[in-house]
Amino acid sequence: MRASLIQIAVDPDESVEARRQRAASLVVAQRGSDLVVLPELWPVGAFAYTVFEEEAEPLQGPTHEVMAKAAAEAGVWLHAGSFVERAPDGTLYNTTLVFAPDGGRSVVYRKIHRFGFDKGEAVMMGAGEELVTVALPQTTLGLATCYDLRFPEQFRGLVDAGAETLVVAAGWPERRRAHWTLLAQARAVENQAYVLAVGTAGTHADIPQAGHSIVVDPWGEVLAEAGSDEEILTVEFDPAKVGATREQFPALKDRRLGLAPPS
Protein backbone atom coordinates (compact mmCIF):
# COMPACT_ATOMS: atom_id res chain seq x y z
CA MET A 1 0.00 0.00 0.00
CA ARG A 2 1.30 3.45 -0.93
CA ALA A 3 0.49 6.47 1.25
CA SER A 4 1.44 10.11 0.73
CA LEU A 5 1.41 12.54 3.66
CA ILE A 6 1.25 16.18 2.56
CA GLN A 7 3.03 18.31 5.16
CA ILE A 8 1.70 21.59 3.85
CA ALA A 9 2.97 24.93 5.15
CA VAL A 10 0.40 27.37 6.49
CA ASP A 11 1.56 30.82 5.40
CA PRO A 12 -0.41 33.74 6.89
CA ASP A 13 0.22 35.72 3.69
CA GLU A 14 -1.54 33.09 1.57
CA SER A 15 -5.31 33.34 1.36
CA VAL A 16 -7.46 30.41 2.46
CA GLU A 17 -8.84 30.01 -1.07
CA ALA A 18 -5.35 30.05 -2.59
CA ARG A 19 -4.24 27.38 -0.11
CA ARG A 20 -7.30 25.26 -0.92
CA GLN A 21 -6.39 25.29 -4.57
CA ARG A 22 -2.72 24.62 -3.87
CA ALA A 23 -3.59 21.72 -1.56
CA ALA A 24 -5.86 20.27 -4.25
CA SER A 25 -3.03 20.46 -6.77
CA LEU A 26 -0.72 18.65 -4.35
CA VAL A 27 -3.33 15.93 -3.85
CA VAL A 28 -3.82 15.46 -7.59
CA ALA A 29 -0.05 15.17 -8.02
CA GLN A 30 -0.13 12.06 -5.80
CA ARG A 31 -1.98 10.04 -8.43
CA GLY A 32 -0.71 6.48 -8.05
CA SER A 33 -0.88 6.50 -4.26
CA ASP A 34 -3.62 4.54 -2.53
CA LEU A 35 -4.08 7.03 0.32
CA VAL A 36 -3.29 10.74 0.63
CA VAL A 37 -3.43 12.55 3.98
CA LEU A 38 -3.49 16.29 4.76
CA PRO A 39 -2.89 17.82 8.22
CA GLU A 40 -5.15 19.47 10.77
CA LEU A 41 -6.85 22.80 9.99
CA TRP A 42 -4.56 23.48 7.05
CA PRO A 43 -6.98 26.00 5.48
CA VAL A 44 -6.63 28.42 8.42
CA GLY A 45 -3.91 27.12 10.77
CA ALA A 46 -4.49 25.15 13.95
CA PHE A 47 -3.54 28.05 16.24
CA ALA A 48 -5.23 30.84 14.26
CA TYR A 49 -8.13 31.03 16.70
CA THR A 50 -8.96 34.62 15.79
CA VAL A 51 -10.14 33.62 12.31
CA PHE A 52 -12.07 30.45 13.20
CA GLU A 53 -15.43 32.23 13.27
CA GLU A 54 -14.73 34.16 10.09
CA GLU A 55 -13.49 31.17 8.08
CA ALA A 56 -15.93 28.52 9.37
CA GLU A 57 -17.73 26.58 6.62
CA PRO A 58 -20.74 24.29 6.39
CA LEU A 59 -19.95 20.60 6.09
CA GLN A 60 -20.47 20.67 2.34
CA GLY A 61 -18.77 23.99 1.85
CA PRO A 62 -15.81 25.02 -0.33
CA THR A 63 -13.24 22.72 1.32
CA HIS A 64 -15.57 19.72 0.85
CA GLU A 65 -16.12 20.66 -2.79
CA VAL A 66 -12.46 21.18 -3.64
CA MET A 67 -11.24 18.06 -1.83
CA ALA A 68 -13.92 15.80 -3.32
CA LYS A 69 -12.92 16.92 -6.78
CA ALA A 70 -9.22 16.41 -6.03
CA ALA A 71 -9.80 12.87 -4.71
CA ALA A 72 -11.72 11.95 -7.86
CA GLU A 73 -9.16 13.50 -10.19
CA ALA A 74 -6.30 11.68 -8.45
CA GLY A 75 -8.27 8.45 -8.01
CA VAL A 76 -7.13 8.13 -4.38
CA TRP A 77 -8.60 7.69 -0.94
CA LEU A 78 -8.22 11.18 0.53
CA HIS A 79 -8.08 12.00 4.22
CA ALA A 80 -8.58 15.71 3.76
CA GLY A 81 -7.07 16.77 7.10
CA SER A 82 -9.52 18.98 8.95
CA PHE A 83 -11.25 22.35 8.65
CA VAL A 84 -13.43 24.59 10.82
CA GLU A 85 -16.99 23.39 10.33
CA ARG A 86 -20.04 25.43 11.32
CA ALA A 87 -22.92 23.07 12.07
CA PRO A 88 -26.51 24.10 11.34
CA ASP A 89 -26.99 25.05 15.01
CA GLY A 90 -23.98 27.38 14.83
CA THR A 91 -21.54 25.16 16.75
CA LEU A 92 -17.99 25.06 15.40
CA TYR A 93 -16.20 21.72 15.04
CA ASN A 94 -12.70 20.63 14.04
CA THR A 95 -13.90 18.31 11.29
CA THR A 96 -12.21 15.69 9.14
CA LEU A 97 -13.55 14.41 5.82
CA VAL A 98 -12.47 11.22 4.07
CA PHE A 99 -13.25 10.79 0.37
CA ALA A 100 -13.27 7.65 -1.75
CA PRO A 101 -11.42 7.50 -5.09
CA ASP A 102 -14.62 8.43 -6.95
CA GLY A 103 -14.89 11.65 -4.93
CA GLY A 104 -17.77 10.47 -2.78
CA ARG A 105 -17.59 11.36 0.91
CA SER A 106 -16.96 8.25 2.97
CA VAL A 107 -16.93 9.42 6.61
CA VAL A 108 -16.92 12.52 8.80
CA TYR A 109 -14.94 12.72 12.05
CA ARG A 110 -15.26 15.58 14.52
CA LYS A 111 -12.28 15.94 16.85
CA ILE A 112 -13.06 14.55 20.30
CA HIS A 113 -10.33 16.13 22.44
CA ARG A 114 -10.13 19.92 22.06
CA PHE A 115 -6.85 21.62 22.82
CA GLY A 116 -6.38 24.91 24.66
CA PHE A 117 -7.48 24.27 28.26
CA ASP A 118 -9.40 27.51 28.88
CA LYS A 119 -8.91 29.26 25.53
CA GLY A 120 -8.88 28.75 21.78
CA GLU A 121 -10.26 25.50 20.41
CA ALA A 122 -11.24 24.23 23.87
CA VAL A 123 -13.80 26.99 24.38
CA MET A 124 -14.66 27.90 20.78
CA MET A 125 -15.49 24.46 19.42
CA GLY A 126 -17.82 21.62 20.20
CA ALA A 127 -16.42 18.17 20.95
CA GLY A 128 -17.01 15.21 18.69
CA GLU A 129 -18.54 12.16 20.34
CA GLU A 130 -18.00 9.29 17.93
CA LEU A 131 -15.01 7.07 17.16
CA VAL A 132 -14.68 6.79 13.40
CA THR A 133 -13.13 4.10 11.23
CA VAL A 134 -13.22 3.66 7.47
CA ALA A 135 -12.57 0.42 5.59
CA LEU A 136 -10.26 0.70 2.60
CA PRO A 137 -9.64 -2.32 0.36
CA GLN A 138 -6.21 -2.88 1.95
CA THR A 139 -6.72 -1.81 5.59
CA THR A 140 -9.15 -0.20 8.03
CA LEU A 141 -8.27 3.33 9.09
CA GLY A 142 -8.91 4.73 12.58
CA LEU A 143 -9.16 8.52 12.66
CA ALA A 144 -7.72 10.94 15.23
CA THR A 145 -6.74 14.60 15.25
CA CYS A 146 -3.72 16.20 16.93
CA TYR A 147 -4.45 16.46 20.71
CA ASP A 148 -6.29 13.12 20.47
CA LEU A 149 -2.83 11.56 20.24
CA ARG A 150 -2.38 12.11 23.99
CA PHE A 151 -5.40 9.94 24.88
CA PRO A 152 -4.57 6.24 24.44
CA GLU A 153 -8.12 5.13 25.27
CA GLN A 154 -9.33 6.62 22.00
CA PHE A 155 -6.89 4.50 20.04
CA ARG A 156 -7.80 1.36 21.98
CA GLY A 157 -11.40 2.04 21.03
CA LEU A 158 -10.43 2.40 17.37
CA VAL A 159 -8.55 -0.88 17.47
CA ASP A 160 -11.56 -2.57 19.09
CA ALA A 161 -13.60 -1.20 16.18
CA GLY A 162 -11.25 -2.91 13.72
CA ALA A 163 -8.62 -0.25 12.97
CA GLU A 164 -5.29 -1.49 11.67
CA THR A 165 -3.86 1.85 10.49
CA LEU A 166 -4.20 4.87 12.76
CA VAL A 167 -4.20 8.21 10.94
CA VAL A 168 -3.45 11.37 12.92
CA ALA A 169 -3.84 14.78 11.26
CA ALA A 170 -2.18 17.50 13.34
CA GLY A 171 -1.00 21.07 13.68
CA TRP A 172 1.62 20.21 16.32
CA PRO A 173 3.90 22.96 17.69
CA GLU A 174 7.67 22.72 17.35
CA ARG A 175 8.21 23.25 21.07
CA ARG A 176 6.62 19.86 21.80
CA ARG A 177 8.01 17.95 18.84
CA ALA A 178 9.67 15.33 21.06
CA HIS A 179 6.21 14.39 22.39
CA TRP A 180 4.88 14.08 18.84
CA THR A 181 7.44 11.45 17.86
CA LEU A 182 7.26 9.61 21.18
CA LEU A 183 3.47 9.41 21.22
CA ALA A 184 3.21 8.33 17.58
CA GLN A 185 5.55 5.43 18.29
CA ALA A 186 3.76 4.57 21.55
CA ARG A 187 0.35 4.43 19.86
CA ALA A 188 1.81 2.10 17.20
CA VAL A 189 3.48 -0.25 19.69
CA GLU A 190 0.64 -0.53 22.20
CA ASN A 191 -1.98 -1.09 19.49
CA GLN A 192 0.19 -3.15 17.15
CA ALA A 193 -0.92 -0.93 14.29
CA TYR A 194 0.57 1.39 11.73
CA VAL A 195 0.51 5.08 12.62
CA LEU A 196 0.45 7.68 9.86
CA ALA A 197 0.83 11.09 11.52
CA VAL A 198 0.99 14.24 9.40
CA GLY A 199 1.57 17.77 10.68
CA THR A 200 1.89 21.25 9.22
CA ALA A 201 5.04 23.16 8.39
CA GLY A 202 5.81 26.86 8.67
CA THR A 203 4.70 29.34 11.31
CA HIS A 204 1.16 30.54 11.86
CA ALA A 205 -0.30 32.70 14.59
CA ASP A 206 3.35 33.15 15.65
CA ILE A 207 3.58 29.43 16.53
CA PRO A 208 6.38 27.53 14.73
CA GLN A 209 5.08 24.15 13.59
CA ALA A 210 6.86 20.87 14.23
CA GLY A 211 6.49 19.30 10.81
CA HIS A 212 8.22 15.90 11.08
CA SER A 213 5.30 13.89 9.76
CA ILE A 214 5.99 10.25 10.54
CA VAL A 215 5.02 6.71 9.57
CA VAL A 216 5.50 4.03 12.23
CA ASP A 217 5.00 0.28 11.82
CA PRO A 218 3.31 -2.08 14.33
CA TRP A 219 6.64 -2.80 16.05
CA GLY A 220 7.33 0.91 16.58
CA GLU A 221 9.90 1.17 13.82
CA VAL A 222 9.95 4.50 11.99
CA LEU A 223 9.51 3.79 8.28
CA ALA A 224 9.75 7.42 7.17
CA GLU A 225 9.96 10.87 8.72
CA ALA A 226 9.78 14.31 7.17
CA GLY A 227 11.81 17.37 8.09
CA SER A 228 10.50 20.74 9.23
CA ASP A 229 9.65 22.35 5.88
CA GLU A 230 6.80 21.74 3.47
CA GLU A 231 7.25 18.23 2.16
CA ILE A 232 5.38 15.25 0.75
CA LEU A 233 6.30 12.08 2.60
CA THR A 234 5.50 8.96 0.57
CA VAL A 235 5.92 5.46 1.93
CA GLU A 236 5.00 1.94 0.91
CA PHE A 237 3.96 -0.45 3.66
CA ASP A 238 2.40 -3.90 3.98
CA PRO A 239 -0.97 -3.87 5.80
CA ALA A 240 -0.67 -7.62 6.38
CA LYS A 241 2.09 -6.90 8.89
CA VAL A 242 -0.55 -5.83 11.43
CA GLY A 243 -2.18 -9.24 11.55
CA ALA A 244 1.18 -10.98 11.51
CA THR A 245 2.45 -8.87 14.42
CA ARG A 246 -0.67 -9.45 16.49
CA GLU A 247 -0.39 -13.18 15.88
CA GLN A 248 3.35 -13.37 16.55
CA PHE A 249 3.15 -11.29 19.74
CA PRO A 250 -0.49 -11.50 20.89
CA ALA A 251 -0.35 -8.87 23.62
CA LEU A 252 -3.79 -7.46 22.80
CA LYS A 253 -5.33 -10.78 23.77
CA ASP A 254 -3.94 -10.41 27.30
CA ARG A 255 -5.84 -7.20 28.08
CA ARG A 256 -7.57 -7.26 31.48
CA LEU A 257 -8.81 -3.68 31.87
CA GLY A 258 -11.13 -1.57 29.80
CA LEU A 259 -12.93 -4.53 28.30
CA ALA A 260 -16.70 -4.75 28.06
CA PRO A 261 -18.15 -7.08 30.74
CA PRO A 262 -19.42 -10.45 29.48
CA SER A 263 -23.10 -10.50 28.56
Side-chain angles (χ1 to χ4, degrees):
M1 183 172 177
R2 183 181 178 92
S4 293
L5 281 58
I6 300 178
Q7 183 173 284
I8 196 167
V10 179
D11 183 344
D13 295 326
E14 180 182 39
S15 72
V16 170
E17 180 54 29
R19 190 153 47 252
R20 277 196 200 100
Q21 297 302 324
R22 187 164 68 85
S25 296
L26 292 171
V27 169
V28 172
Q30 307 319 304
R31 188 181 290 111
S33 289
D34 299 295
L35 172 66
V36 177
V37 187
L38 283 160
E40 179 189 29
L41 295 178
W42 56 268
V44 296
F47 289 89
Y49 307 136
T50 58
V51 300
F52 282 5
E53 281 281 354
E54 177 185 351
E55 298 293 349
E57 312 170 34
L59 186 67
Q60 292 185 263
T63 295
H64 186 294
E65 179 181 358
V66 169
M67 291 293 103
K69 182 178 178 182
E73 188 171 346
V76 298
W77 284 91
L78 174 60
H79 179 306
S82 71
F83 70 103
V84 182
E85 176 201 358
R86 188 187 305 279
D89 67 0
T91 303
L92 303 185
Y93 292 98
N94 187 336
T95 298
T96 288
L97 306 172
V98 177
F99 297 95
D102 63 0
R105 190 179 76 223
S106 178
V107 297
V108 175
Y109 168 64
R110 294 181 175 92
K111 185 178 179 182
I112 292 172
H113 300 96
R114 299 161 297 168
F115 180 71
F117 307 111
D118 59 353
K119 61 183 179 181
E121 181 185 46
V123 296
M124 295 180 68
M125 290 182 156
E129 298 180 351
E130 296 183 1
L131 297 177
V132 176
T133 63
V134 55
L136 275 58
Q138 307 95 328
T139 187
T140 296
L141 307 182
L143 307 187
T145 303
C146 202
Y147 193 43
D148 287 337
L149 189 60
R150 292 185 179 273
F151 299 87
E153 61 272 19
Q154 177 168 342
F155 293 82
R156 274 289 200 251
L158 290 169
V159 168
D160 286 345
E164 300 165 321
T165 300
L166 304 167
V167 181
V168 184
W172 202 276
E174 166 60 30
R175 61 178 173 263
R176 290 188 289 275
R177 179 162 65 86
H179 292 184
W180 166 253
T181 304
L182 175 66
L183 291 168
Q185 289 182 274
R187 298 295 86 86
V189 170
E190 69 195 9
N191 294 295
Q192 299 180 309
Y194 284 100
V195 169
L196 279 57
V198 57
T200 50
T203 296
H204 57 83
D206 298 321
I207 306 292
Q209 297 298 286
H212 285 266
S213 300
I214 191 169
V215 178
V216 188
D217 80 0
W219 283 102
E221 296 294 324
V222 176
L223 301 183
E225 184 174 0
S228 300
D229 298 327
E230 181 163 302
E231 181 177 344
I232 296 173
L233 186 68
T234 298
V235 63
E236 294 188 0
F237 63 98
D238 181 6
K241 190 172 184 178
V242 174
T245 300
R246 292 175 181 177
E247 182 176 349
Q248 180 182 356
F249 193 82
L252 291 174
K253 294 181 180 179
D254 288 333
R255 292 168 59 195
R256 300 282 294 167
L257 303 175
L259 300 174
S263 57

